[in-house]
Amino acid sequence: MIFAIFGVEYMITVDCTDIESKKQELLVYVSDMIPAIPTLKKHGFILSPINDEIIEKSKVVTAIKDYLGTIGERENFAVISINDTLVVKSISRNKTMTESRATPDAFFSCPHCGFSTRYEGELYIHQKIHYL
């Protein structure tokens, strides 16, 4: 159950269907800007609070828009709030980023950022960068 108090959420879902190929980068960028625990989902991610802190939806929207600005796509995408979900929606119909960068035969996935690989050793080395 998600509780909301005056535009503030305890958990926020971000739908990245229209920007699928940049979903993992967006998740990392937003979780760096917002003190929250990210959980990767099929077409988006969820931000959960750390130590029962409240996540302000407006700060998440600002972080998403900042990310879109860094990749030069701010004018092509909008962030729409629908109940407890933020949807990153393409403004122009033919401008979606749905091509996936993950390899289809990947067996190991990083729980922090979603990086995927076929080799357990490569995943182990990759995970070390999250703890530096």
Side-chain angles (χ1 to χ4, degrees), residues 25 31 103 108 125:
E25 292 176 17
S31 63
T103 58
F108 300 99
I125 292 168

Side-chain angles (χ1 to χ4, degrees), residues 42-54:
K42 185 174 184 178
H43 296 291
F45 57 91
I46 295 175
L47 296 172
S48 303
I50 300 173
N51 298 329
D52 295 329
E53 294 177 10
I54 296 173

Side-chain angles (χ1 to χ4, degrees), residues 4-128:
I5 303 173
F6 303 112
V8 200
E9 302 284 335
Y10 283 98
M11 285 177 57
I12 295 178
T13 302
V14 179
D15 182 352
C16 301
T17 304
D18 284 1
I19 192 166
E20 190 76 31
S21 67
K22 298 290 185 181
K23 173 179 64 176
Q24 294 173 359
E25 292 176 17
L26 176 62
L27 175 137
V28 171
Y29 187 90
V30 171
S31 63
D32 282 347
M33 303 304 257
I34 306 294
I37 301 168
T39 305
L40 193 61
K41 297 294 182 184
K42 185 174 184 178
H43 296 291
F45 57 91
I46 295 175
L47 296 172
S48 303
I50 300 173
N51 298 329
D52 295 329
E53 294 177 10
I54 296 173
I55 301 172
E56 292 185 42
K57 191 182 283 190
S58 61
K59 289 184 179 181
V60 177
V61 169
T62 302
I64 293 170
K65 287 182 178 181
D66 288 346
Y67 171 76
L68 291 171
T70 62
I71 63 170
E73 295 290 341
R74 189 172 189 148
E75 297 81 25
N76 296 320
F77 291 90
V79 182
I80 303 167
S81 178
I82 302 173
N83 297 326
D84 62 335
T85 302
L86 294 174
V87 180
V88 182
K89 194 74 177 160
S90 173
I91 296 173
S92 60
R93 292 181 184 220
N94 54 351
K95 185 69 175 174
T96 59
M97 295 183 198
T98 55
E99 66 276 358
S100 179
R101 292 182 346 183
T103 58
D105 53 355
F107 300 114
F108 300 99
S109 178
C110 177
H112 303 292
C113 68
F115 169 79
S116 57
T117 180
R118 296 184 346 186
Y119 307 104
E120 185 175 11
E122 186 177 11
L123 176 66
Y124 177 75
I125 292 168
H126 165 82
Q127 285 180 327
K128 286 182 179 181

